[in-house]
Amino acid sequence: FVAGYPREATKDDLLQLFRQFGAGDGDVTFPRDRRSRRKKGYAYINVVDEGAADAAIKAFNLFQIDGKPLTVIRAADRPLKKNRRR
């Protein structure tokens, strides 16, 4: 899970950072808002090897891009959202 990157960042921009840890072309996902289709401001990077994932987290968590720190954590480590009514 990666948050805090610039809104204009592309898939290739994130791949450039995470390719050294084993991420490939199909391993970057930008969730989008259902209505506006705009990026939600975070991405998922799939790194299969756990050691490489830990190294990527260590290397890029709080890494500064344009003066803003990235948040890089395992997706399973994210706090759960509060229940929403449907």
Side-chain angles (χ1 to χ4, degrees), residues 37-68:
R37 300 303 302 153
R38 291 175 37 191
K39 294 178 197 172
K40 288 189 171 185
Y42 57 88
Y44 294 102
I45 313 290
N46 186 29
V47 177
V48 178
D49 181 84
E50 285 194 39
D54 290 336
I57 291 167
K58 188 174 183 177
F60 292 123
N61 192 40
L62 303 178
F63 180 78
Q64 298 274 329
I65 295 181
D66 293 339
K68 282 182 55 179

Side-chain angles (χ1 to χ4, degrees), residues 2 4 7 12 15 27 33 37 40 46 48 55 61 76 78-79 81 85:
V2 179
R7 284 242 183 229
D12 289 334
L15 269 175
D27 293 330
D33 181 89
R37 300 303 302 153
K40 288 189 171 185
N46 186 29
V48 178
N61 192 40
R78 292 183 311 153
K81 290 184 177 180
R85 288 188 345 196

